[in-house]
Amino acid sequence: MSDNSQLFWGAAISAAQTESACDVDGKGLSIWDEFCSKKQGYIYKQSTIKNKDHMKDSCDFYYHYKEDILLLKKIGFKHFRFSIAWTRVMPDGINVNPLGVDFYKDVIDFCHENEIVPWVTLYHWDLPIELEKKGGWINREIIEWFTQYATFCVKTFSTVENWILINEPSVFLGAGYLFGIHAPGKKSFDGFLAATHHVMLSIGEAYRRLKNEFPDKSIGSSFSFTHIEPAGHKEKDYKAAELADKLVNRMFFEPLIGHGYPLGDVKKLNQITKFFKKGDEEKLITDLDFYGLQTYTREVFKHNPFNPFLKLKHVPADERTIDLTAMNWEMHAESIYKTIMKVHAYNLNRPIVVTENGAAFNDQVVLDRVNDFSRIHYFQTHINEVLRAKSDGADVKGYFAWSLLDNFEWAEGYYPRFGLIYVDFKTKKRLMKESAHWFRRFLSSQLKY
Ligand code: GAL
């Protein structure tokens, strides 16, 4: 198809999923530390994470970051996306911890020494527990807390050019505030609406303030976009799919590009306006420097008369296809083409960066190799679709594979392995999977395939 030189290539991780070292060198606890904890803590919940896995047992990136960056370089990636743990830099969300700052300075310096471009996410879901005690994202004051933290980081880590403000609002808001399966384990409809509005406003406020102070930095944010289709050809199924698209994708994106929340016809969700203050409509409008797009699969919805207010039903992938990943997600490469073209159709005049894409499998080490051919197939087919979107006119600049390393996959614990590099979580030994070798060949060639 197309040649790979058209894009820049990188791999991504996040702090909570890889660093371990949860309570060393002055780091404060985050909502995820406590959500993992078997003890009762502020969140007052037993861990609902599979196998009671705990993020402290992940990759020890805190101690192994040099090895990991060198592996990334060996594969041939030139860009590395990682996140800052707010609680490492500011244990209580407000006051600075110099040792935490030093850690990220070292990581960033090591990237530069190795000619790797760092892309730093400011918020990848690990809110300081001390801020959660004050209401977290439900408290409107968080707009200021987040903006101050973001400003501190951009100023302090001054050699970083590319910043991602908040990772996938839809996922952490839905899972953490509505369904209670992610930290902070809340299940309140009003809380979910308030938190959603405050996250959107935080993106707007932080963007404006950062651009004002640091006009040359590239400031974007990353959004989950899932391609959604109706289960059948009935008009009611199309309507169900359209509504699901609003709830899963558009609600967390369109306010920022000046379209407002697309919820006028869904009375219950439109109650989000309860949390509006004067001027909020304008404050939401943001014009980010780039849009980070993250897509993994396709989801299917159908009409359901028994669902009291939404009248729709999700049709899980394992009920309709056998081509699944370890997350029970359908392998559907065309979805990434469709989601890119959908964002392109907004005519935003800003580049798109695929900030995450990848697949989990139950990888096994056999004779010092991990033969993850399904993952290679996933990457080949998805990258082809990204390049197709580019040649059809979408301004896609780069692509990050999720993930560089096997890591702590939130509520799913350690079973689904997303890495190009296998991590033995007991010994912390790293091993390049066949997919990493495939990427190395792909990146070192200009081959069309
Ligand atoms: C994204 C998230 C990542 C990773 C990935 C795979 O939603 O940003 O942290 O977990 O999904 O599930």
Side-chain angles (χ1 to χ4, degrees):
M1 279 188 94
S2 320
D3 80 273
N4 67 27
S5 60
Q6 297 178 51
L7 298 186
F8 72 75
W9 301 91
I13 59 167
S14 86
Q17 293 176 278
T18 58
E19 284 181 5
S20 319
C22 295
D23 54 1
V24 305
D25 294 339
K27 180 181 172 295
L29 292 184
S30 77
I31 53 173
W32 269 97
D33 288 302
E34 200 163 284
F35 198 65
C36 291
S37 166
K38 292 177 186 122
K39 287 184 276 148
Q40 289 207 332
Y42 175 73
I43 295 171
Y44 298 113
K45 273 213 161 240
Q46 282 290 101
S47 167
T48 51
I49 296 163
K50 292 217 175 111
N51 304 315
K52 300 228 182 313
D53 286 342
H54 195 298
M55 60 191 258
K56 70 177 167 43
D57 303 317
S58 68
C59 319
D60 274 9
F61 177 78
Y62 192 70
Y63 304 109
H64 287 251
Y65 71 89
K66 288 191 176 166
E67 180 184 355
D68 293 334
I69 292 169
L70 290 176
L71 282 165
L72 173 127
K73 183 176 175 180
K74 183 169 172 188
I75 296 172
F77 290 121
K78 299 257 188 308
H79 295 248
F80 180 35
R81 176 183 172 211
F82 59 92
S83 75
I84 290 179
W86 191 339
T87 50
R88 214 178 272 294
V89 167
M90 297 177 173
D92 60 357
I94 311 273
N95 295 296
V96 175
N97 168 35
L99 289 179
V101 172
D102 288 348
F103 169 67
Y104 293 109
K105 280 193 172 154
D106 291 347
V107 173
I108 291 161
D109 287 349
F110 197 69
C111 285
H112 292 310
E113 276 164 38
N114 284 285
E115 296 180 339
I116 300 295
V117 180
W119 288 65
V120 182
T121 310
L122 285 159
Y123 186 75
H124 204 124
W125 306 355
D126 42 357
L127 187 73
I129 193 81
E130 294 307 319
L131 296 183
E132 177 59 28
K133 287 180 185 168
K134 298 182 196 162
W137 289 105
I138 294 173
N139 183 343
R140 195 176 165 108
E141 279 184 64
I142 199 161
I143 301 167
E144 192 53 34
W145 301 331
F146 176 72
T147 303
Q148 291 202 6
Y149 156 68
T151 310
F152 172 82
C153 289
V154 175
K155 188 172 183 178
T156 307
F157 307 116
S158 57
T159 58
V160 174
E161 297 304 321
N162 305 293
W163 292 91
I164 294 168
L165 295 172
I166 296 188
N167 182 66
E168 289 193 354
S170 59
V171 178
F172 80 85
L173 289 163
Y177 290 84
L178 191 58
F179 301 116
I181 51 169
H182 276 194
K186 292 195 164 148
K187 293 183 191 174
S188 140
F189 190 70
D190 264 8
F192 162 72
L193 291 180
T196 298
H197 189 49
H198 300 150
V199 168
M200 295 290 115
L201 286 168
S202 298
I203 294 176
E205 185 60 25
Y207 177 78
R208 272 184 297 279
R209 247 192 275 167
L210 290 173
K211 283 312 273 189
N212 193 30
E213 245 183 271
F214 314 99
D216 298 336
K217 300 288 178 193
S218 172
I219 315 277
S221 210
S222 57
F223 302 88
S224 165
F225 268 93
T226 300
H227 175 55
I228 291 183
E229 283 183 12
H233 293 294
K234 293 190 197 127
E235 204 191 322
K236 284 182 172 177
D237 289 335
Y238 276 93
K239 282 217 159 106
E242 202 182 308
L243 179 56
D245 184 37
K246 286 184 183 174
L247 303 177
V248 173
N249 299 317
R250 293 174 50 196
M251 175 173 176
F252 306 93
F253 187 70
E254 292 193 350
L256 299 173
I257 59 168
H259 295 204
Y261 292 102
L263 305 172
D265 51 348
V266 194
K267 226 169 152 196
K268 203 158 160 73
L269 284 161
N270 208 31
Q271 289 173 10
I272 197 164
T273 49
K274 277 199 304 204
F275 302 100
F276 274 52
K277 292 213 164 144
K278 201 162 168 265
D280 276 8
E281 277 91 350
E282 293 74 50
K283 286 186 183 154
L284 287 167
I285 303 172
T286 303
D287 200 22
L288 294 164
D289 296 338
F290 64 88
Y291 291 95
L293 190 150
Q294 316 194 156
T295 194
Y296 286 86
T297 187
R298 147 175 91 162
E299 297 294 357
V300 171
F301 284 81
K302 68 177 180 192
H303 176 69
N304 172 17
F306 304 111
N307 179 327
F309 73 96
L310 293 177
K311 304 249 177 291
L312 54 76
K313 183 182 181 311
H314 175 230
V315 186
D318 55 0
E319 284 176 20
R320 57 187 163 79
T321 171
I322 48 160
D323 219 1
L324 300 177
T325 70
M327 296 291 281
N328 270 352
W329 293 347
E330 181 185 4
M331 306 248 274
H332 189 262
E334 203 192 352
S335 287
I336 197 163
Y337 172 83
K338 294 229 160 133
T339 49
I340 293 174
M341 293 316 278
K342 193 169 162 174
V343 174
H344 169 64
Y346 284 114
N347 276 322
L348 298 169
N349 271 327
R350 289 285 198 254
I352 294 169
V353 177
V354 176
T355 35
E356 281 181 27
N357 176 239
F361 297 99
N362 176 19
D363 301 315
Q364 309 282 344
V365 181
V366 179
L367 299 175
D368 268 340
R369 287 168 74 120
V370 179
N371 290 323
D372 55 338
F373 299 122
S374 302
R375 181 173 290 106
I376 295 175
H377 175 70
Y378 182 98
F379 279 124
Q380 280 178 324
T381 51
H382 283 69
I383 287 171
N384 271 342
E385 292 293 316
V386 173
L387 295 172
R388 177 157 79 98
K390 172 119 182 145
S391 64
D392 285 353
D395 184 16
V396 191
K397 286 275 186 282
Y399 175 97
F400 287 89
W402 184 270
S403 173
L404 178 67
L405 304 167
D406 287 340
N407 59 52
F408 173 71
E409 176 52 29
W410 310 114
E412 304 300 317
Y414 290 106
Y415 162 73
R417 291 179 174 268
F418 270 96
L420 292 167
I421 294 168
Y422 185 92
V423 178
D424 180 326
F425 294 110
K426 287 210 171 74
T427 61
K428 311 298 175 193
K429 207 172 154 234
R430 275 78 165 142
L431 175 67
M432 278 170 67
K433 300 180 192 174
E434 285 310 299
S435 55
H437 293 294
W438 173 81
F439 248 114
R440 188 167 46 79
R441 289 192 297 275
F442 169 63
L443 296 175
S444 66
S445 70
Q446 295 297 317
L447 282 183
K448 296 169 196 263
Y449 71 95

